[in-house]
Amino acid sequence: MTEVLDVERSPARQPNSQKEPFLVVEHLSVQFPTYDGLVKAVTDLSYSVDMGETLGIVGESGSGKSVSSMAVLGLHDIKRSRLEGSIRVAGKEIVGASQSTMRKIRGNEVAMIFQDPLTALHPFFKIGDQIIEAYRFHHNVSKRVARRRAIEMLDLVGIPRPDQRVDEYVHQFSGGMRQRAMIAMALVNNPRLLIADEPTTALDVTVQAQILDLIQEMQKEFGSAVIMITHDLGVIAEVADEVLVMYAGRCVEKGTTKQILTHPEMPYTWGLLGSIADVVGDVDKPLVPIPGTPPSLLNPPSGCSFHPRCVHRDKVEGNRCVEELPELRAGGAPNHLLRCHLTDPDAVFESEVKEEIL
Amino acid sequence: MVGYIIRRLFSAFLVILLTSMFVFGLFFLGPSNIAATFCQQSANGRCTQERLAVITKQFGLDQSVFSQYEEWAKGIFVGRKIQMGATYDCPAPCLGISYRDQTNVFDTLKKYYPATLSIALVAGFGYLFLGVLLGSLAARWRGTAADKSLVTVSLLISSLPYYLVLLLAWIYLYAIKGWFPVPGYTSPFDNPWNWVKGMCLAWLILGVTNSTQYARFSRGYMVEALGEDYVRSATAKGVSRNMAVFKHALRVAIVPVVTIFGLDFATLLSGTVFTEKILGINGIGVLAINSITNFDFPIIAATVLIAAVLIVVGNLVVDILYSFLDPRVRLA
C-alpha cells in the first residue's frame, strides 16, 4: 500500500519549507448579483493555514463558510459571482486564475470533501471509476494502475472488501461508507490542502467520530493542511488547532481552539457555545438559543451585523453597535482577534456568560 | 430480469389483444354499413337487395361480431381460407384479404412498411440525437444569445402544427426552389443512394421539427443536472467543464429524455402519416388513410394492430433499456 502512496512525496511537501503558509486568504469578498440585489456572501475575510495545521470554520447556515472555501477551489461561476481580494495556494494566486491553472490545482493540490456524499458522488458511475477518474486526471497512468490505487485508497479509508466495493455504485453504500469513499476520492492525489465541508453533518455520532479520526489520521500520514467547515463546536474541539467564527459573511472571532472554547470574547461565539446541549448536564436546564434568525445578506444590518440579536448591546456606549462596524482587533491572548465594541468582553464573559455556557 | 421481461411480454400481449378487440368493436358499432357502400360502388348505384345479401355474406358480415373476431384472430396464428367470390388461401399470419381487391393484407403491409420504417427510424433517432445535442449545448452556454435564440426558435416551431410546417417546407424546399429530389421510396438494399435521395426531405422535416421539443427537454434536464452536487464534485476533482457537462451531467440527463422518446413512439408514427401523405411517399400511413375512406376494414384492423405492436414493443425496449441506463433500477 505505501509504495504507491510514497511516490508523490517530495521535500516540498514537508511543512515549514515555505515562508508563506500554504493557503493564504486575504481580504476575500464574494458577492452574487441577483434580481433582488447584491448578495454579500463573504466580506473582507482573511485567514491562513499551513501544512499540518487544521483550521476550523464555524458559523450558522448562510454565514459564508462554504462560499469562502469554494472560492479557494475556484468553484464559483465567474459569470454569476464577483470575487475580490487574494487567495494564494502555495504562492499561486487563485482569484482570476485561468481555468487550466485551476484544473491543475483542483483535486490535486487542494481537494474537497462535500457535505452530502449521496448527492456529491455521481449516481450512475461506479465508486471506483470516480476515484480512478480523479487520479488519472492528475497522473498519467494506465487504468489498471489507477484501479489498483483506487482499491488501496478504499482500503485505507476502512472500506471492507475494497476489491469488490470498487465496482459498486453509491446507492449500494451506507452513509458512513459513502463519506469514506468521498474521502478516498479527495485524498487519492495526496492533496496538500483538504477542505472538509461539514463532512459529518449527515452522520450519526459514532460514524462521525470514525470519520473525524480518519481525516486526522490522513492528515498525519500526508502532513496536509485541513480546513474543517462545520456548525458543530464538538467537531471543532476534537480536530481544530485554530478556529474562525463567521457571521453574516465576516470573521467575527478568531483564535486558537483552546482560547475560543474557554475564553471566547465575542457575544455571537458565546451564543454558539451556549446553545450546545451538555450530555452529562442537568436535563432540566434549558438550552439558551441565540435569539432571532441569521441576517439577510442582501440587506445586512448596519454597524455590527450581529447587533439585532446581541443581548449585550446596552453595555456599549451610545449607538455604536448600530452605527459603526467594529474592526477586527486583538483580544486577550496572542493571535486572538475579535470584532466587537465591548470594551472589556472578558469581564462580561467572566461575570455573566461563563456560568451559563461552561 | 428474465422474469420481468416475461411478465412485460404477457402484459404487452394483453394490450395488443384489447386494442384489436377495440378496433373491431368500433368498426362494427359505428354508423356505417360496409356492405351497402360496397354494393353501391360496385353496381354504379343500382344496388339490389339480392346483391347486398351476397356481399354481406361474402364479407362474413352476417355473422356476429364475436365469431368474426374469432375467425380473424385465429387466422393470425393458423391461417384460414377466405370465401369472397372465389376461395382465397390466406396462410398464417393471416390478417385477412382486402375487401376492395382481394389481395392478401399481410403482403400489402410488407410492401408498404419499409417506407414508413425508413422515415420513422432515421428521423426518430435523428431528432433524438439532434435534440439532445442542441439541448446540451444550450445548457452548457445557458443565458447566452445562442441559448435564448434556440429556445425561442424551438418554441416557435413546436407551437406550429406539424402538417403546416411540413406543407410550407414541401412547397418552399421542393416545389418552388427544387432543392430536394422527388420524395419516394426505394429499397436501401437495391439502391442506397436513391433511398437517401427519396427520403432526405422527409427525414429533414420530421427530424428538425421534432428535435425542437427534445432540445427543450434536454436543455431542462441538463440545466437541472448541471446544478447537481456531483457535477460540482467532478469540477472539484479537476475535470474540465466540457467533461463535466458532456460526461457527468449528460449521463444523468439523458435518462428521462430517452424515456420520453420511448413513450412518444406513437407521435413518431402519426408524424409519418402526415409526412407520407403530404410528400407523396407510399407508406403505411397513406395506406391506412386510403383504407379508411374505402371502408377496407381488414387493412384498417391490420395497420392498427401493427401500430399497437410497435408502440408496445417500443415501450418495452425503453423499460429494459432503463435498467442499463440507471444502475439504481434493478429489475426483478
Side-chain angles (χ1 to χ4, degrees):
Chain A
M1 176 200 88
T2 43
E3 47 170 290
V4 182
L5 294 182
D6 281 343
V7 168
E8 286 304 309
R9 306 298 277 277
S10 64
R13 299 229 149 187
Q14 300 306 317
N16 303 327
S17 63
Q18 293 153 305
K19 269 191 178 168
E20 192 177 76
F22 183 72
L23 172 71
V24 180
V25 175
E26 271 174 357
H27 307 295
L28 175 71
S29 294
V30 185
Q31 302 178 330
F32 303 105
T34 64
Y35 286 115
D36 299 326
L38 197 63
V39 175
K40 301 178 189 90
V42 176
T43 310
D44 195 18
L45 182 71
S46 301
Y47 62 83
S48 65
V49 194
D50 209 346
M51 305 292 291
E53 281 180 2
T54 303
L55 171 73
I57 302 183
V58 281
E60 287 164 308
S61 307
S63 59
K65 309 184 296 278
S66 301
V67 170
S68 60
S69 316
M70 276 166 67
V72 175
L73 274 172
L75 289 179
H76 295 297
D77 188 343
I78 325 161
K79 277 173 263 163
R80 295 196 179 80
S81 58
R82 279 186 215 159
L83 259 75
E84 274 163 38
S86 168
I87 301 171
R88 291 191 297 280
V89 174
K92 275 187 294 255
E93 179 62 51
I94 297 295
V95 177
S98 71
Q99 283 299 309
S100 59
T101 312
M102 287 313 301
R103 279 206 292 279
K104 289 193 191 94
I105 292 170
R106 285 179 194 143
N108 193 24
E109 297 204 48
V110 184
M112 195 152 178
I113 300 170
F114 291 99
Q115 182 176 155
D116 181 358
L118 181 62
T119 57
L121 289 167
H122 200 287
F124 295 179
F125 295 142
K126 289 171 184 167
I127 293 285
D129 289 345
Q130 298 187 50
I131 300 176
I132 289 168
E133 187 188 32
Y135 190 61
R136 289 189 76 203
F137 220 87
H138 300 287
H139 294 83
N140 192 12
V141 295
S142 72
K143 265 202 173 138
R144 260 210 7 251
V145 175
R147 187 184 152 86
R148 223 172 53 218
R149 167 82 182 167
I151 294 172
E152 271 172 24
M153 287 309 297
L154 290 177
D155 190 33
L156 194 68
V157 297
I159 287 179
R161 296 182 293 109
D163 50 327
Q164 288 165 43
R165 292 297 218 161
V166 74
D167 287 323
E168 288 186 5
Y169 296 93
V170 64
H171 68 272
Q172 290 164 298
F173 277 49
S174 71
M177 290 290 156
R178 282 172 195 155
Q179 196 54 279
R180 282 166 195 269
M182 187 86 212
I183 292 172
M185 193 167 87
L187 293 176
V188 70
N189 291 311
N190 299 358
R192 291 199 271 171
L193 169 64
L194 183 66
I195 302 173
D197 187 355
E198 310 210 17
T200 56
T201 300
L203 305 174
D204 64 72
V205 268
T206 40
V207 181
Q208 170 174 323
Q210 291 170 6
I211 296 288
L212 291 178
D213 284 349
L214 178 65
I215 292 177
Q216 281 184 300
E217 267 170 45
M218 298 293 128
Q219 181 179 22
K220 259 184 224 136
E221 170 126 19
F222 301 120
S224 31
V226 173
I227 296 178
M228 179 71 66
I229 301 169
T230 180
H231 52 244
D232 186 342
L233 286 162
V235 171
I236 291 295
E238 196 172 333
V239 300
D241 302 314
E242 273 204 308
V243 186
L244 191 157
V245 184
M246 285 188 77
Y247 187 79
R250 282 195 173 86
C251 167
V252 291
E253 186 163 19
K254 195 175 154 226
T256 61
T257 305
K258 194 171 175 219
Q259 183 71 18
I260 297 288
L261 293 181
T262 55
H263 281 91
E265 296 187 8
M266 157 80 198
Y268 175 62
T269 317
W270 298 341
L272 277 184
L273 288 165
S275 43
I276 302 173
D278 187 354
V279 184
V280 290
D282 184 358
V283 284
D284 293 324
K285 195 177 139 193
L287 284 176
V288 190
I290 305 174
T293 51
S296 151
L297 295 173
L298 268 173
N299 303 301
S302 61
C304 171
S305 35
F306 188 59
H307 85 255
R309 303 169 72 186
C310 186
V311 289
H312 302 282
R313 214 165 74 197
D314 49 356
K315 297 185 187 71
V316 177
E317 279 172 40
N319 214 7
R320 285 180 69 202
C321 289
V322 183
E323 286 162 2
E324 189 188 329
L325 174 72
E327 292 300 316
L328 264 184
R329 63 183 168 91
N335 293 328
H336 191 158
L337 294 171
L338 70 146
R339 203 186 272 280
C340 186
H341 284 311
L342 285 174
T343 36
D344 192 358
D346 209 27
V348 179
F349 177 71
E350 292 291 338
S351 62
E352 292 182 35
V353 187
K354 195 172 180 181
E355 204 176 320
E356 252 174 43
I357 64 177
L358 294 179
Chain B
M1 186 75 181
V2 174
Y4 173 81
I5 293 174
I6 291 171
R7 276 206 311 279
R8 281 301 308 262
L9 282 175
F10 180 71
S11 67
F13 175 75
L14 272 182
V15 170
I16 292 163
L17 188 74
L18 285 171
T19 313
S20 65
M21 287 179 177
F22 196 66
V23 174
F24 236 87
L26 268 186
F27 195 78
F28 284 96
L29 294 173
S32 60
N33 189 338
I34 306 156
T37 316
F38 272 87
C39 180
Q40 293 280 352
Q41 287 172 357
S42 61
N44 294 324
R46 274 169 304 178
C47 178
T48 58
Q49 282 300 318
E50 293 75 39
R51 211 180 146 70
L52 184 63
V54 170
I55 289 177
T56 308
K57 192 160 168 29
Q58 268 189 0
F59 288 0
L61 296 172
D62 52 341
Q63 292 162 39
S64 74
V65 179
F66 296 104
S67 60
Q68 284 188 57
Y69 180 78
E70 192 195 333
E71 175 85 8
W72 178 79
K74 210 172 81 187
I76 296 174
F77 297 102
V78 297
R80 58 185 165 130
K81 294 225 186 303
I82 299 170
Q83 298 283 338
M84 204 175 278
T87 302
Y88 296 90
D89 189 35
C90 180
C94 174
L95 293 166
I97 57 172
S98 164
Y99 284 168
R100 190 147 289 275
D101 55 13
Q102 283 77 43
T103 49
N104 187 305
V105 173
F106 188 73
D107 293 340
T108 311
L109 289 184
K110 269 202 301 201
K111 202 173 97 199
Y112 284 94
Y113 245 103
T116 303
L117 286 181
S118 292
I119 299 174
L121 291 181
V122 177
F125 286 102
Y127 68 63
L128 179 64
F129 177 78
L130 188 67
V132 169
L133 182 72
L134 289 176
S136 310
L137 290 172
R140 162 78 172 78
W141 279 282
R142 180 155 74 111
T144 60
D147 171 37
K148 282 173 188 158
S149 39
L150 180 95
V151 173
T152 314
V153 170
S154 150
L155 269 173
L156 194 75
I157 296 181
S158 302
S159 51
L160 291 170
Y162 173 61
Y163 51 83
L164 187 68
V165 178
L166 181 62
L167 198 59
L168 291 175
W170 179 77
I171 292 171
Y172 191 77
L173 296 178
Y174 171 72
I176 297 178
K177 289 284 176 184
W179 287 340
F180 284 86
V182 190
Y185 174 75
T186 320
S187 169
F189 302 107
D190 294 347
N191 190 336
W193 175 236
N194 282 350
W195 177 65
V196 173
K197 268 195 345 198
M199 290 282 134
C200 58
L201 187 60
W203 291 337
L204 183 81
I205 303 170
L206 187 62
V208 169
T209 314
N210 278 324
S211 74
T212 56
Q213 55 168 332
Y214 281 86
R216 272 178 296 122
F217 293 146
S218 313
R219 183 185 175 279
Y221 290 117
M222 279 297 280
V223 166
E224 194 181 317
L226 284 172
E228 293 284 353
D229 288 355
Y230 49 76
V231 176
R232 189 185 60 189
S233 304
T235 313
K237 283 196 288 191
V239 169
S240 71
R241 180 73 183 152
N242 281 335
M243 274 277 267
V245 172
F246 293 107
K247 184 178 169 194
H248 290 254
L250 184 59
R251 179 66 183 75
V252 174
I254 194 95
V255 176
V257 178
V258 169
T259 311
I260 295 173
F261 180 70
L263 298 176
D264 210 31
F265 207 67
T267 315
L268 176 59
L269 288 179
S270 70
T272 60
V273 175
F274 286 119
T275 314
E276 288 166 11
K277 185 77 185 165
I278 291 178
L279 298 188
I281 297 170
N282 275 327
I284 223 74
V286 171
L287 177 72
I289 294 172
N290 289 344
S291 19
I292 289 170
T293 44
N294 288 339
F295 292 98
D296 203 342
F297 175 68
I299 295 182
I300 302 172
T303 50
V304 173
L305 183 74
I306 302 291
V309 171
L310 284 178
I311 289 168
V312 166
V313 169
N315 288 349
L316 184 63
V317 167
V318 165
D319 281 350
I320 293 169
L321 199 64
Y322 208 91
S323 72
F324 290 103
L325 285 174
D326 187 344
R328 289 171 300 188
V329 179
R330 283 276 171 272
L331 302 175

